[in-house]
Amino acid sequence: MAVGILEVSLISGKGLKRSDFLGKIDPYVEIQYKGQTRKSSVAKDGGRNPTWNDKLKWRAEFPGSGADYKLIVKVMDHDTFSSDDFIGEATVHVKELLEMGVEKGTAELRPTKYNIVDSDLSFVGELLIGVSYSLLQDRGMDGEQFGGWKHSQVD
């Protein structure tokens, strides 16, 4: 099993549907990977076309437990006086990215637009997201020299 860092670059959103009838939205994103959730900053003044430029990271094992190699990306509207509103979500499949990263040491999905859909699968906007995976360097004994070993070789 290989261990690495899965990094999501949350760049921007476009055309996000309003959940509030009053005023503008203050969107943020929650991304879940295998039960671990990371939250972006709230894009104040972003409205329907927010910019985040956030980087969110997870420790990822491949192959790991379960077969759900996907990021669940939920777009939420931050509300000060009530609970936050769900705008919509997208799914980013990362199995092939992890496979390639394990094979080559690193892999990247260039920033791509993902459609955001609400609970009845209606289109409610899009997100621009990039994803990368890099193996953690093995902290084993590679390259370490043990005293006396070289001296015991017969020339």
Side-chain angles (χ1 to χ4, degrees), residues 16-72:
L16 298 179
K17 189 174 116 187
R18 275 194 188 90
S19 57
D20 284 340
F21 295 108
L22 312 165
K24 59 182 177 43
I25 60 174
D26 294 316
Y28 68 92
V29 175
E30 286 183 356
I31 302 177
Q32 185 177 45
Y33 177 72
K34 290 193 177 272
Q36 304 172 60
T37 302
R38 303 286 185 272
K39 221 184 224 190
S40 75
S41 57
V42 174
K44 299 275 185 199
D45 306 325
R48 298 186 63 220
N49 300 305
T51 300
W52 289 280
N53 289 321
D54 281 1
K55 292 200 181 301
L56 307 167
K57 296 180 182 183
W58 292 259
R59 182 178 188 271
E61 297 174 346
F62 187 83
S65 60
D68 55 337
Y69 297 103
K70 60 187 176 188
L71 298 165
I72 305 297

Side-chain angles (χ1 to χ4, degrees), residues 2-14:
V3 178
I5 299 296
L6 182 63
E7 181 176 281
V8 173
S9 296
L10 174 63
I11 300 166
S12 62
K14 185 175 179 186

Side-chain angles (χ1 to χ4, degrees), residues 94-106:
V94 294
K95 184 176 183 184
E96 289 80 14
L97 174 79
L98 297 175
E99 287 173 345
M100 191 181 305
V102 167
E103 186 179 308
K104 297 183 176 181
T106 184

